[in-house]
Amino acid sequence: MKQEEKTETEQLILEAAKKVFIEKGYAGARMQAIADEAQINKAMLHYYYRSKEALFSRILESAVATMSGQIIPALQGKGTVMEKIESLVNNYIDTIIQNPYIPMFVLNELAQNRLNFQESLMAKMATNDTVEQFMKQIMKEQKAGILQPVGPHHIMLTVMSLIAFPFIAKPVFTGVMKIPEFMYLQMMEERKQLVMEIIKKSFLK
Amino acid sequence: MKQEEKTETEQLILEAAKKVFIEKGYAGARMQAIADEAQINKAMLHYYYRSKEALFSRILESAVATMSGQIIPALQGKGTVMEKIESLVNNYIDTIIQNPYIPMFVLNELAQNRLNFQESLMAKMATNDTVEQFMKQIMKEQKAGILQPVGPHHIMLTVMSLIAFPFIAKPVFTGVMKIPEFMYLQMMEERKQLVMEIIKKSFLK
DNA sequence: TTTTGGTTAAACCGTTTGGTTGATTTAATT
DNA sequence: AATTAAATCAACCAAACGGTTTAACCAAAA
């Protein structure tokens, strides 16, 4: 067996852990539940990943990678601010439709700040000035009279709000308001266009 | 001692429980930690509130009451849709500034749906048709040509996104982006005006 | 004075937790 | 066929958990 590629069991564990950790959170997740989900023995979890924390940080990092993998490329390279935001909105919503629980998961861990997750994220951001560059581009286009003179932080925050919150609030729709799954998905698809209209009307001069 | 009003200890317990539950979530919260926070004995927790679940549901219900106490009144009575939204935005942001962890807490519990929290919320909504009435008002103003013809769900979702998400993302600002607390608060104050501008530009004809 | 109810600290209980162990099976190598 | 190392398992363990009980303490009410 090659050491480079993961064994089937390792993959099973990762997928099971992802499901359980995202569903229950770190404290609520049980190693036995992960083992059951992966249909393996509990000892295997510790055989492949030393501890609950080690396994968890793997899952958390892959979730962050999924998110930043959509955000960073969209904001890089050429193109106007609006073009980049449009790319961000489309890519991000598509990605999250397939992993709807990721935003809540990451924000939750960020809030609890288990073992300095905040600082490790900060370090990752520092080595990559994409966001900072994008903010500078916003200010440049504001001076050029293309964009409204609104604080760049507010613009970023607004975009993220419009994209991410609908997924965080998903249980409100499917659970409390009893809106069926397919209708919720349809709303999220419609949202790409709506969000862009909102952003353009709000921040374009 | 009067039975109607809570004893000092009961209040101490509730406040300690609120802090610990909101900080750590249900699974992560420890009864001993709540007792320590309240500076009382662990036995007292069970003396006043029978179990962890009972204590937790008290906290959860009060959090929901705080939120719906701002949402429901703002949407009732006379006034145009925009006037109601403006009242909602101002009241809600003011309330959440003082309880910034409530939205995350409630949405989190909704996502995990511990012991049918979703259904109990749904029942509470059904006995109060404020939201439904407000949606009808939106459609009426759309037919009257006051509002853009956007799905009422989208409008509600957009408003909630713009209001609630910045608080859910607070750790990103104060933790990852190292924005100081006072500057974050200042942003939230600025947001009342900005959010209304965005909503008016987006949904008013 | 006696009684009552809030309060405390500590010991205790049954269960569940993350984690370990040693033995056993599997699969590739010689 | 013999050897070896990786993979898997059931059983186990110490610690921590929510919750209970006990016994003593105290202030106010009866």
Side-chain angles (χ1 to χ4, degrees):
Chain A
M1 174 174 310
K2 297 176 197 164
Q3 286 194 345
E4 300 137 29
E5 66 182 31
K6 291 189 172 67
T7 67
E8 197 182 338
T9 306
E10 272 179 285
Q11 275 300 338
L12 276 174
I13 291 177
L14 284 182
E15 274 164 44
K18 183 178 168 183
K19 183 178 177 187
V20 174
F21 275 131
I22 285 180
E23 224 166 68
K24 310 272 186 180
Y26 178 83
R30 301 285 164 250
M31 294 297 269
Q32 187 60 58
I34 296 175
D36 292 349
E37 178 72 32
Q39 288 180 297
I40 52 146
N41 194 283
K42 187 161 66 94
M44 287 281 86
L45 300 180
H46 296 93
Y47 179 75
Y48 284 106
Y49 307 91
R50 262 183 307 208
S51 65
K52 187 183 182 182
E53 269 196 23
L55 181 53
F56 179 78
S57 69
R58 283 277 194 117
I59 304 301
L60 186 55
E61 272 167 34
S62 91
V64 172
T66 301
M67 287 187 80
S68 61
Q70 295 302 320
I71 296 175
I72 303 294
L75 301 186
Q76 275 171 340
K78 298 168 193 170
T80 65
V81 167
M82 270 307 151
E83 284 166 353
K84 288 182 179 178
I85 290 181
E86 186 147 23
S87 152
L88 175 66
V89 169
N90 288 321
N91 289 349
Y92 192 94
I93 290 184
D94 277 339
T95 304
I96 304 302
I97 280 180
Q98 281 157 32
N99 309 278
Y101 295 110
I102 285 188
M104 181 67 120
F105 180 61
V106 172
L107 284 173
N108 220 351
E109 286 310 312
L110 228 36
Q112 308 225 5
N113 197 23
R114 201 180 320 291
L115 219 74
N116 297 334
F117 175 45
Q118 288 181 358
E119 288 181 23
S120 89
L121 240 187
M122 203 178 65
K124 215 166 281 177
M125 299 261 298
T127 63
N128 184 324
D129 66 343
T130 304
V131 175
E132 205 179 331
Q133 288 293 334
F134 183 68
M135 290 224 184
K136 281 182 186 168
Q137 189 184 358
I138 290 178
M139 289 188 274
K140 201 191 284 178
E141 291 195 14
Q142 285 175 333
K143 277 173 192 157
I146 302 172
L147 295 178
Q148 298 275 358
V150 179
H153 280 133
H154 277 297
I155 295 181
M156 290 291 295
L157 184 52
T158 303
V159 173
M160 294 311 298
S161 300
L162 292 171
I163 299 176
F165 186 82
F167 294 95
I168 294 174
K170 181 183 179 182
V172 178
F173 284 82
T174 58
V176 181
M177 298 177 72
K178 292 291 172 199
I179 290 178
E181 188 85 8
F182 81 93
M183 203 176 284
Y184 170 79
L185 283 177
Q186 184 189 319
M187 274 188 71
M188 295 304 110
E189 283 291 340
E190 292 166 5
R191 239 180 136 66
K192 292 183 202 166
Q193 202 189 327
L194 179 62
V195 165
M196 279 316 297
E197 282 172 18
I198 293 174
I199 292 172
K200 283 178 183 166
K201 283 180 185 169
S202 301
F203 299 126
L204 226 42
K205 250 188 180 161
Chain B
M1 175 171 309
K2 297 175 196 165
Q3 287 194 343
E4 302 136 28
E5 65 182 33
K6 290 189 172 65
T7 68
E8 197 182 338
T9 305
E10 272 178 285
Q11 275 299 340
L12 276 174
I13 292 177
L14 284 182
E15 275 165 43
K18 184 176 168 184
K19 184 177 178 189
V20 174
F21 276 131
I22 284 180
E23 226 166 67
K24 310 271 186 180
Y26 177 84
R30 301 282 164 253
M31 294 298 269
Q32 187 60 57
I34 296 175
D36 292 347
E37 177 72 31
Q39 289 181 299
I40 53 145
N41 194 280
K42 187 161 68 98
M44 285 281 89
L45 298 181
H46 296 94
Y47 180 77
Y48 284 107
Y49 307 92
R50 264 185 307 213
S51 65
K52 187 184 183 183
E53 268 197 24
L55 182 53
F56 179 78
S57 69
R58 283 278 193 117
I59 304 300
L60 185 55
E61 272 166 35
S62 91
V64 171
T66 301
M67 287 187 80
S68 61
Q70 296 302 320
I71 296 174
I72 303 295
L75 301 185
Q76 276 173 339
K78 299 168 194 170
T80 65
V81 167
M82 271 306 152
E83 286 166 354
K84 287 182 180 179
I85 290 181
E86 184 147 24
S87 152
L88 175 65
V89 169
N90 288 322
N91 290 350
Y92 192 93
I93 290 184
D94 278 339
T95 305
I96 304 302
I97 279 180
Q98 281 156 32
N99 309 278
Y101 296 110
I102 286 188
M104 180 68 118
F105 181 60
V106 172
L107 284 173
N108 220 353
E109 285 311 312
L110 228 36
Q112 309 226 3
N113 197 23
R114 201 181 318 292
L115 220 73
N116 296 334
F117 175 45
Q118 288 181 358
E119 287 182 21
S120 90
L121 240 188
M122 203 178 65
K124 213 166 281 175
M125 299 260 299
T127 62
N128 184 324
D129 66 343
T130 305
V131 175
E132 204 179 332
Q133 288 294 334
F134 183 67
M135 291 223 183
K136 281 183 185 167
Q137 189 183 357
I138 289 178
M139 290 188 273
K140 200 190 286 178
E141 292 194 13
Q142 285 175 332
K143 278 174 191 157
I146 301 171
L147 294 177
Q148 299 274 359
V150 179
H153 280 134
H154 276 297
I155 296 181
M156 290 291 296
L157 185 51
T158 302
V159 173
M160 295 309 298
S161 300
L162 292 171
I163 298 176
F165 186 82
F167 294 95
I168 294 174
K170 181 184 180 184
V172 179
F173 284 83
T174 58
V176 182
M177 298 177 72
K178 293 290 173 200
I179 290 177
E181 187 84 9
F182 83 92
M183 204 176 284
Y184 170 79
L185 284 176
Q186 185 189 318
M187 273 188 72
M188 294 304 110
E189 283 293 339
E190 292 166 5
R191 242 183 131 65
K192 291 183 202 165
Q193 203 188 327
L194 179 62
V195 165
M196 279 316 297
E197 283 171 18
I198 293 174
I199 292 172
K200 284 178 182 167
K201 283 180 186 169
S202 301
F203 299 125
L204 225 42
K205 251 186 179 163

